[in-house]
Amino acid sequence: MNDMRLTERNMTDQKIKMQARGVDVFYGDTQAIKTVDVDIQDKTVTAFIGPSGCGKSTFLRCLNRMNDTIDVCRVTGDIRLDEEDIYDPRVDPVQLRAKVGMVFQKPNPFPKSIYDNVAYGPRIHGLATNKAELDEIVEKSLRRAAIWDEAKDRLDQPGTGLSGGQQQRLCIARAVATNPEVLLMDEPCSALDPIATAQVEELIDELRERFSVVIVTHSMQQAARVSQKTAFFHLGELVEFGETSQIFTNPQDTRTESYITGRIG
Amino acid sequence: MVDTTQMGTPPRKTSLTHSSAQVARRKRKDVVLQGFGIAAILIAFSVLFILVASLVRTGYTAFVQTHVTLEVFVDPGEISEEGLPRGGFRDVLTAALLENLPEADPDEDARAVRNILSNGAQFDLRDRVVADPSLIGQTITLTAPVSDPFDQLNKGGVNRETPEDQRRVNNQEVAWFDTLAEAGLISTPFNIGLFTHADSRFPELAGLKGAIVGSFWALLTCFVISFPIGIGAAIYLEEFAPRNRMSDFIEVNINNLAAVPSVVFGLLALAVFLNWFGLPRSAPFVGGMTLALMTMPTIIIATRAALKAVPPSIREAALGVGASKQQVVFGHVLPLAMPGILTGTIIGLAQALGETAPLLLIGMNAFITSAASSPFDASTALPTQIFIWADSPERGFVSRTSAAILVLLGFLVTMNAIAIYLRNKFERRW
Ligand SMILES: Nc1ncnc2c1ncn2[C@@H]1O[C@H](COP(=O)(O)OP(=O)(O)OP(=O)(O)O)[C@@H](O)[C@H]1O
Ligand SMILES: [Mg+2]
């Protein structure tokens, strides 16, 4: 664990980007999330940690209403993006997901060209008025995802032909291309080798300058390296939420302490 | 937590080279199972082989047709320009035959000699003269099919050893034929007429054109109706319909529909399309609509399977960048499912191509001597043509029935090959 970085990291208090209050999630009759309150700050990396099956992904997917696509899933409570209730009946989840992008655990590029992968979001949201603008967005996104150099000569080749780590960075580029305000990442590095992981982590740190990032991870080291805020989930409850440095050095709850020292999970 | 190692029983000593009784038993089971599998495949293949071999054996003669080549003097005394298209074409042909048969009596044998030629020969000649009246008065070379008994004689379908009164051609006719053959006038070229003629009472003239055209119109109608409706229904059920009792009920009934015997669809078509809507009898359009009823469930089931096979990660990826449900389905899921859908559709259409019962019920087994020029004209279809020919007593129709079955099988094999090709070509690994 990089404790040097951990301690010297100072928290400028950013404004709150997303706010969850009293969120319950049910899959049919079983409750997966129990009354969770979380604030996601702008231009901050927030890490969700916790043992497997504790509801990290479930909660993350509430933030862009991906859970809407699961028939049995029911979400109650209040989640706001910039003061607006995202579960308001007037909200179109399609518009929400343009603002709250998502990167999945398994790289899932479209079986289309690299260019089309990145251009897809801007196209459907009408972010570019002509080809030149679109080209520019694609290049900028690929650069931001640190894959431009590898991809620039093969933009017309299928994205599925890239290596796993390249695919994941392509997916990040795709998510970044729609210019989201919040980027949700569900274990983005679990399919990557240490080098690709380091690249993605570096990338996350850069992305933080533009928007807020929420990352689910099973690696305590990763959480400590990339995040400023950490939320610890256990059995569907949010046990502890605070500064990453505080969670890792001075956890308030015994369950948190057990988990980060490797005794549960 | 792992405790200290358990030292209770000492490990059993086994050898890798000597198989224990249990392993030997397991091996025997493997061998027996494999044997059953191979036997099953062998049986299936030999049955298929016997089927095709017997069809080829009886059917191959229908792919060639005996012709006689004659120098025909288009006698102005018999055929005049003003009289066209009428004229003594048959007499002109008989005269040409008699020219080559010195032993035949021009008066007494004229009738018998005339029967060497197919009844269609005079129409071939007529068509040529009508197209070019300047031929009147000239001598032209005409190659025309011989009638069925002589065709059989040439192909060996008539045994010359059998007593004359039990043969379809008498000794005199055999002698005439041999004379023509010796003069080099008999030829046995590929039977183009099998594909360019429609049905006929005379086996040597009967062809499959009407049936192929009828099947084409019927399949086209079937495709145009069942493909969009089938895909639409499948997309709705798979992607948009809420999962509840109603959708379960619909799903079960689509599967039931796929299992309904085709003759039932035929009866339904007879009652609804013909008797109620008053659509024309024997029309490929009605046949196609009937076949569409049967193909639709196949397409729906194939499409749903193909849609289900698209990995959820692709849907999530598209939803994650803010695509709407409709954009996800039509922009991502459907294109990826298309090869599977096409494969299912082609297989469904291949089934429809071979379907006979419903077409019999709506009268597509009528005797029709010209190919349909639109889907609304009366027509036969390949399977019903086979049905008609199989019912005809003439020897020539026996081999034509087998030939028609071979043609139908050829179409089916081609369609299935296309389906397999598409499946392999677009197969994706995720
Ligand atoms: N689609 C679903 N239908 C029913 N139950 C589900 C569904 N998805 C998740 N669950 C349940 O909800 C609980 C939380 O799952 P979730 O995927 O959020 O855990 P997680 O913290 O992301 O775990 P992991 O670290 O293994 O990814 C689990 O008990 C899981 O069984
Ligand atoms: Mg998860």
Side-chain angles (χ1 to χ4, degrees):
Chain A
M1 219 179 293
N2 193 339
D3 283 309
M4 285 294 289
R5 260 178 81 186
L6 206 67
T7 42
E8 77 190 23
R9 198 176 283 160
N10 63 344
M11 290 298 94
T12 53
D13 259 334
Q14 293 285 353
K15 78 175 177 66
I16 290 170
K17 188 72 189 169
M18 293 193 84
Q19 187 183 54
R21 287 292 174 269
V23 174
D24 291 304
V25 183
F26 302 85
Y27 288 112
D29 293 332
T30 54
Q31 189 164 7
I33 291 289
K34 293 166 196 155
T35 347
V36 166
D37 300 341
V38 166
D39 290 333
I40 310 288
Q41 290 181 345
D42 201 11
K43 301 194 177 17
T44 304
V45 178
T46 307
F48 289 175
I49 60 170
S52 193
C54 65
K56 306 180 294 291
S57 301
T58 301
F59 184 71
L60 191 73
R61 291 162 61 92
C62 293
L63 299 179
N64 68 344
R65 291 184 60 173
M66 274 307 264
N67 284 334
D68 289 16
T69 60
I70 299 171
D71 285 338
V72 295
C73 187
R74 201 157 47 80
V75 180
T76 60
D78 187 67
I79 302 179
R80 288 173 182 275
L81 171 69
D82 289 335
E83 318 280 302
E84 283 181 314
D85 182 5
I86 65 170
Y87 280 89
D88 188 294
R90 286 168 302 177
V91 171
D92 183 356
V94 165
Q95 273 176 320
L96 172 68
R97 290 181 201 135
K99 288 186 171 198
V100 184
M102 186 152 195
V103 175
F104 298 84
Q105 175 168 1
K106 213 173 127 239
N108 55 356
F110 300 129
K112 300 176 188 253
S113 73
I114 293 176
Y115 184 94
D116 286 338
N117 259 284
V118 183
Y120 182 71
R123 271 200 194 116
I124 60 172
H125 297 299
L127 300 185
T129 52
N130 56 41
K131 179 89 171 76
E133 269 181 47
L134 194 59
D135 287 347
E136 197 187 312
I137 293 177
V138 169
E139 177 175 345
K140 212 168 60 189
S141 309
L142 286 169
R143 276 189 196 286
R144 246 183 233 157
I147 191 179
W148 172 249
D149 291 330
E150 286 143 283
K152 64 171 181 282
D153 297 324
R154 48 196 290 196
L155 288 177
D156 54 348
Q157 285 173 30
T160 39
L162 297 168
S163 78
Q166 290 170 330
Q167 285 186 16
Q168 191 62 302
R169 276 178 285 150
L170 175 61
C171 292
I172 294 174
R174 182 178 64 192
V176 169
T178 55
N179 227 350
E181 296 164 23
V182 180
L183 189 59
L184 310 178
M185 302 176 123
D186 194 350
E187 300 181 40
C189 299
S190 63
L192 305 188
D193 68 16
I195 296 173
T197 301
Q199 283 170 332
V200 171
E201 284 179 7
E202 210 171 299
L203 186 61
I204 292 170
D205 211 48
E206 283 165 29
L207 294 177
R208 172 164 71 95
E209 288 165 19
R210 311 181 49 84
F211 29 70
S212 79
V213 177
V214 184
I215 178 171
V216 171
T217 177
H218 273 286
S219 155
M220 244 69 69
Q221 288 89 336
Q222 185 170 61
R225 281 193 298 263
V226 301
S227 71
Q228 291 83 51
K229 293 272 193 173
T230 296
F232 171 64
F233 287 82
H234 187 60
L235 300 176
E237 283 174 58
L238 179 65
V239 174
E240 199 166 345
F241 178 53
E243 303 289 332
T244 298
S245 50
Q246 174 255 309
I247 296 271
F248 279 95
T249 54
N250 184 22
Q252 303 299 303
D253 195 288
T254 50
R255 287 171 293 180
T256 317
E257 191 181 356
S258 314
Y259 182 70
I260 60 175
T261 54
R263 263 178 284 152
I264 54 172
Chain B
M1 275 283 186
V2 184
D3 259 3
T4 48
T5 47
Q6 290 158 2
M7 300 294 282
T9 49
R12 217 150 36 106
K13 268 257 195 269
T14 54
S15 157
L16 284 176
T17 50
H18 283 272
S19 49
S20 67
Q22 191 205 353
V23 171
R25 229 176 10 245
R26 222 158 49 187
K27 232 185 224 162
R28 258 199 314 278
K29 264 189 194 157
D30 280 0
V31 170
V32 168
L33 202 64
Q34 260 183 21
F36 274 127
I38 292 173
I41 289 173
L42 280 182
I43 291 172
F45 264 96
S46 51
V47 168
L48 188 68
F49 179 79
I50 291 168
L51 171 75
V52 173
S54 79
L55 284 174
V56 169
R57 209 172 60 83
T58 50
Y60 80 99
T61 55
F63 286 100
V64 292
Q65 171 68 43
T66 312
H67 282 68
V68 57
T69 307
L70 296 172
E71 297 294 319
V72 182
F73 174 56
V74 189
D75 188 353
E78 295 277 1
I79 300 156
S80 66
E81 192 165 349
E82 298 78 47
L84 288 177
R86 293 168 176 282
F89 296 102
R90 198 151 65 157
D91 297 336
V92 165
L93 285 171
T94 312
L97 269 174
L98 285 168
E99 199 114 308
N100 290 297
L101 297 171
E103 65 268 39
D105 185 290
D107 295 323
E108 279 176 24
D109 294 332
R111 225 186 132 75
V113 165
R114 201 168 67 197
N115 283 341
I116 295 178
L117 275 179
S118 159
N119 199 40
Q122 53 176 320
F123 302 119
D124 283 356
L125 179 63
R126 183 194 64 192
D127 291 346
R128 268 177 76 176
V129 174
V130 168
D132 181 9
S134 72
L135 292 176
I136 295 172
Q138 294 186 22
T139 300
I140 59 171
T141 309
L142 182 85
T143 302
V146 302
S147 63
D148 185 45
F150 292 91
D151 187 36
Q152 295 301 327
L153 177 68
N154 184 38
K155 288 172 179 170
V158 174
N159 189 349
R160 289 163 189 251
E161 309 295 313
T162 40
E164 186 177 8
D165 54 348
Q166 292 173 21
R167 243 190 276 134
R168 293 173 66 208
V169 281
N170 60 32
N171 286 341
Q172 192 187 30
E173 289 169 329
V174 172
W176 288 340
F177 185 81
D178 289 343
T179 310
L180 291 174
E182 271 160 37
L185 300 179
I186 301 294
S187 58
T188 318
F190 178 71
N191 186 5
I192 302 169
L194 187 61
F195 299 98
T196 57
H197 293 160
D199 199 8
S200 165
R201 265 186 308 125
F202 306 101
E204 72 275 10
L205 295 179
L208 287 169
K209 185 177 173 195
I212 292 173
V213 169
S215 274
F216 170 78
W217 286 126
L219 277 195
L220 187 71
T221 310
C222 172
F223 175 78
V224 166
I225 294 174
S226 60
F227 189 70
I229 297 183
I231 290 193
I235 289 178
Y236 177 74
L237 287 174
E238 193 59 39
E239 304 285 342
F240 296 100
R243 296 260 179 280
N244 54 27
R245 270 156 184 270
M246 192 62 202
S247 60
D248 287 349
F249 178 76
I250 291 173
E251 169 146 18
V252 167
N253 280 294
I254 285 173
N255 292 334
N256 286 343
L257 209 58
V260 169
S262 57
V263 67
V264 176
F265 287 110
L267 283 168
L268 180 75
L270 181 63
V272 176
F273 296 152
L274 297 190
N275 294 345
W276 194 16
F277 292 164
L279 290 172
R281 186 167 286 275
S282 304
F285 178 72
V286 180
M289 292 203 299
T290 314
L291 295 175
L293 294 176
M294 311 175 36
T295 312
M296 223 173 319
T298 312
I299 293 183
I300 293 177
I301 291 168
T303 304
R304 293 189 66 177
L307 292 174
K308 261 197 203 114
V310 174
S313 65
I314 295 293
R315 296 165 201 269
E316 289 199 322
L319 287 171
V321 290
S324 67
K325 181 86 197 174
Q326 167 264 333
Q327 282 169 328
V328 173
V329 172
F330 290 95
H332 296 276
V333 178
L334 197 56
L336 293 176
M338 231 2 153
I341 296 174
L342 287 181
T343 309
T345 305
I346 293 173
I347 288 172
L349 287 178
Q351 276 171 5
L353 177 62
E355 204 49 72
T356 323
L359 301 185
L360 295 180
L361 280 166
I362 58 155
M364 285 191 76
N365 56 340
F367 175 67
I368 294 150
T369 54
S370 63
S373 53
S374 83
F376 304 99
D377 295 343
S379 174
T380 57
L382 273 169
T384 50
Q385 189 70 64
I386 291 168
F387 183 81
I388 298 169
W389 284 355
D391 246 6
S392 308
E394 286 91 341
R395 278 296 290 275
F397 279 126
V398 175
S399 58
R400 271 179 161 69
T401 305
S402 296
I405 294 173
L406 285 174
V407 170
L408 177 59
L409 287 180
F411 278 114
L412 294 178
V413 168
T414 311
M415 288 171 84
N416 285 336
I418 293 173
I420 290 170
Y421 171 77
L422 281 178
R423 186 162 52 205
N424 290 347
K425 174 149 191 225
F426 293 102
E427 192 176 44
R428 248 176 236 282
R429 270 165 277 274
W430 308 98

PDB file of all heavy atoms in Angstrom, chain A residues 165-179:
ATOM      1  N   GLY A 165      -6.730  -5.769 -22.149  1.00  0.00           N
ATOM      2  CA  GLY A 165      -6.459  -4.480 -21.532  1.00  0.00           C
ATOM      3  C   GLY A 165      -6.779  -3.334 -22.477  1.00  0.00           C
ATOM      4  O   GLY A 165      -7.346  -2.315 -22.077  1.00  0.00           O
ATOM      5  N   GLN A 166      -6.440  -3.526 -23.750  1.00  0.00           N
ATOM      6  CA  GLN A 166      -6.760  -2.491 -24.744  1.00  0.00           C
ATOM      7  C   GLN A 166      -8.264  -2.352 -24.882  1.00  0.00           C
ATOM      8  O   GLN A 166      -8.788  -1.237 -24.993  1.00  0.00           O
ATOM      9  CB  GLN A 166      -6.137  -2.864 -26.090  1.00  0.00           C
ATOM     10  CG  GLN A 166      -4.622  -2.758 -26.108  1.00  0.00           C
ATOM     11  CD  GLN A 166      -4.030  -3.356 -27.367  1.00  0.00           C
ATOM     12  OE1 GLN A 166      -4.591  -4.291 -27.950  1.00  0.00           O
ATOM     13  NE2 GLN A 166      -2.897  -2.821 -27.795  1.00  0.00           N
ATOM     14  N   GLN A 167      -8.969  -3.499 -24.863  1.00  0.00           N
ATOM     15  CA  GLN A 167     -10.432  -3.443 -24.968  1.00  0.00           C
ATOM     16  C   GLN A 167     -11.020  -2.640 -23.813  1.00  0.00           C
ATOM     17  O   GLN A 167     -11.924  -1.828 -24.005  1.00  0.00           O
ATOM     18  CB  GLN A 167     -11.021  -4.857 -24.944  1.00  0.00           C
ATOM     19  CG  GLN A 167     -10.838  -5.613 -26.236  1.00  0.00           C
ATOM     20  CD  GLN A 167     -11.566  -6.945 -26.226  1.00  0.00           C
ATOM     21  OE1 GLN A 167     -12.436  -7.177 -25.396  1.00  0.00           O
ATOM     22  NE2 GLN A 167     -11.210  -7.812 -27.142  1.00  0.00           N
ATOM     23  N   GLN A 168     -10.484  -2.868 -22.619  1.00  0.00           N
ATOM     24  CA  GLN A 168     -11.042  -2.157 -21.471  1.00  0.00           C
ATOM     25  C   GLN A 168     -10.783  -0.658 -21.608  1.00  0.00           C
ATOM     26  O   GLN A 168     -11.657   0.154 -21.323  1.00  0.00           O
ATOM     27  CB  GLN A 168     -10.436  -2.708 -20.167  1.00  0.00           C
ATOM     28  CG  GLN A 168     -11.127  -2.228 -18.907  1.00  0.00           C
ATOM     29  CD  GLN A 168     -12.583  -2.655 -18.826  1.00  0.00           C
ATOM     30  OE1 GLN A 168     -13.393  -2.338 -19.697  1.00  0.00           O
ATOM     31  NE2 GLN A 168     -12.944  -3.365 -17.777  1.00  0.00           N
ATOM     32  N   ARG A 169      -9.613  -0.294 -22.095  1.00  0.00           N
ATOM     33  CA  ARG A 169      -9.348   1.136 -22.283  1.00  0.00           C
ATOM     34  C   ARG A 169     -10.226   1.703 -23.404  1.00  0.00           C
ATOM     35  O   ARG A 169     -10.671   2.845 -23.336  1.00  0.00           O
ATOM     36  CB  ARG A 169      -7.862   1.361 -22.572  1.00  0.00           C
ATOM     37  CG  ARG A 169      -7.052   1.428 -21.281  1.00  0.00           C
ATOM     38  CD  ARG A 169      -5.588   1.589 -21.530  1.00  0.00           C
ATOM     39  NE  ARG A 169      -5.006   0.325 -21.982  1.00  0.00           N
ATOM     40  CZ  ARG A 169      -3.959   0.255 -22.805  1.00  0.00           C
ATOM     41  NH1 ARG A 169      -3.386   1.351 -23.251  1.00  0.00           N
ATOM     42  NH2 ARG A 169      -3.494  -0.918 -23.177  1.00  0.00           N
ATOM     43  N   LEU A 170     -10.493   0.859 -24.412  1.00  0.00           N
ATOM     44  CA  LEU A 170     -11.422   1.295 -25.464  1.00  0.00           C
ATOM     45  C   LEU A 170     -12.804   1.550 -24.854  1.00  0.00           C
ATOM     46  O   LEU A 170     -13.480   2.528 -25.194  1.00  0.00           O
ATOM     47  CB  LEU A 170     -11.506   0.229 -26.558  1.00  0.00           C
ATOM     48  CG  LEU A 170     -12.516   0.485 -27.675  1.00  0.00           C
ATOM     49  CD1 LEU A 170     -12.182   1.763 -28.422  1.00  0.00           C
ATOM     50  CD2 LEU A 170     -12.567  -0.688 -28.650  1.00  0.00           C
ATOM     51  N   CYS A 171     -13.215   0.676 -23.947  1.00  0.00           N
ATOM     52  CA  CYS A 171     -14.524   0.861 -23.308  1.00  0.00           C
ATOM     53  C   CYS A 171     -14.543   2.135 -22.477  1.00  0.00           C
ATOM     54  O   CYS A 171     -15.560   2.820 -22.405  1.00  0.00           O
ATOM     55  CB  CYS A 171     -14.863  -0.347 -22.434  1.00  0.00           C
ATOM     56  SG  CYS A 171     -15.161  -1.837 -23.391  1.00  0.00           S
ATOM     57  N   ILE A 172     -13.402   2.428 -21.864  1.00  0.00           N
ATOM     58  CA  ILE A 172     -13.329   3.680 -21.105  1.00  0.00           C
ATOM     59  C   ILE A 172     -13.434   4.860 -22.073  1.00  0.00           C
ATOM     60  O   ILE A 172     -14.170   5.820 -21.828  1.00  0.00           O
ATOM     61  CB  ILE A 172     -12.024   3.735 -20.281  1.00  0.00           C
ATOM     62  CG1 ILE A 172     -12.063   2.649 -19.199  1.00  0.00           C
ATOM     63  CG2 ILE A 172     -11.848   5.112 -19.652  1.00  0.00           C
ATOM     64  CD1 ILE A 172     -10.779   2.499 -18.419  1.00  0.00           C
ATOM     65  N   ALA A 173     -12.725   4.762 -23.204  1.00  0.00           N
ATOM     66  CA  ALA A 173     -12.808   5.821 -24.214  1.00  0.00           C
ATOM     67  C   ALA A 173     -14.246   5.997 -24.676  1.00  0.00           C
ATOM     68  O   ALA A 173     -14.734   7.115 -24.852  1.00  0.00           O
ATOM     69  CB  ALA A 173     -11.915   5.479 -25.408  1.00  0.00           C
ATOM     70  N   ARG A 174     -14.929   4.893 -24.856  1.00  0.00           N
ATOM     71  CA  ARG A 174     -16.320   4.942 -25.304  1.00  0.00           C
ATOM     72  C   ARG A 174     -17.194   5.650 -24.264  1.00  0.00           C
ATOM     73  O   ARG A 174     -18.066   6.447 -24.597  1.00  0.00           O
ATOM     74  CB  ARG A 174     -16.828   3.520 -25.536  1.00  0.00           C
ATOM     75  CG  ARG A 174     -18.237   3.437 -26.039  1.00  0.00           C
ATOM     76  CD  ARG A 174     -18.627   2.012 -26.291  1.00  0.00           C
ATOM     77  NE  ARG A 174     -18.633   1.225 -25.063  1.00  0.00           N
ATOM     78  CZ  ARG A 174     -18.712  -0.098 -25.033  1.00  0.00           C
ATOM     79  NH1 ARG A 174     -18.761  -0.773 -26.146  1.00  0.00           N
ATOM     80  NH2 ARG A 174     -18.726  -0.738 -23.880  1.00  0.00           N
ATOM     81  N   ALA A 175     -16.919   5.342 -22.975  1.00  0.00           N
ATOM     82  CA  ALA A 175     -17.708   5.976 -21.923  1.00  0.00           C
ATOM     83  C   ALA A 175     -17.375   7.457 -21.816  1.00  0.00           C
ATOM     84  O   ALA A 175     -18.253   8.287 -21.583  1.00  0.00           O
ATOM     85  CB  ALA A 175     -17.452   5.272 -20.588  1.00  0.00           C
ATOM     86  N   VAL A 176     -16.110   7.784 -22.028  1.00  0.00           N
ATOM     87  CA  VAL A 176     -15.679   9.174 -21.897  1.00  0.00           C
ATOM     88  C   VAL A 176     -16.199  10.026 -23.050  1.00  0.00           C
ATOM     89  O   VAL A 176     -16.439  11.218 -22.900  1.00  0.00           O
ATOM     90  CB  VAL A 176     -14.127   9.209 -21.825  1.00  0.00           C
ATOM     91  CG1 VAL A 176     -13.620  10.626 -21.951  1.00  0.00           C
ATOM     92  CG2 VAL A 176     -13.648   8.582 -20.536  1.00  0.00           C
ATOM     93  N   ALA A 177     -16.401   9.383 -24.201  1.00  0.00           N
ATOM     94  CA  ALA A 177     -16.736  10.130 -25.415  1.00  0.00           C
ATOM     95  C   ALA A 177     -18.056  10.876 -25.308  1.00  0.00           C
ATOM     96  O   ALA A 177     -18.251  11.884 -25.978  1.00  0.00           O
ATOM     97  CB  ALA A 177     -16.777   9.179 -26.608  1.00  0.00           C
ATOM     98  N   THR A 178     -18.980  10.386 -24.494  1.00  0.00           N
ATOM     99  CA  THR A 178     -20.261  11.081 -24.377  1.00  0.00           C
ATOM    100  C   THR A 178     -20.173  12.246 -23.407  1.00  0.00           C
ATOM    101  O   THR A 178     -21.171  12.876 -23.108  1.00  0.00           O
ATOM    102  CB  THR A 178     -21.365  10.132 -23.891  1.00  0.00           C
ATOM    103  OG1 THR A 178     -20.940   9.534 -22.669  1.00  0.00           O
ATOM    104  CG2 THR A 178     -21.663   9.057 -24.906  1.00  0.00           C
ATOM    105  N   ASN A 179     -18.944  12.508 -22.909  1.00  0.00           N
ATOM    106  CA  ASN A 179     -18.736  13.615 -21.999  1.00  0.00           C
ATOM    107  C   ASN A 179     -19.595  13.498 -20.753  1.00  0.00           C
ATOM    108  O   ASN A 179     -20.368  14.399 -20.422  1.00  0.00           O
ATOM    109  CB  ASN A 179     -19.055  14.929 -22.706  1.00  0.00           C
ATOM    110  CG  ASN A 179     -17.959  15.928 -22.441  1.00  0.00           C
ATOM    111  OD1 ASN A 179     -17.093  15.677 -21.593  1.00  0.00           O
ATOM    112  ND2 ASN A 179     -17.991  17.037 -23.150  1.00  0.00           N
TER     113      ASN A 179
END
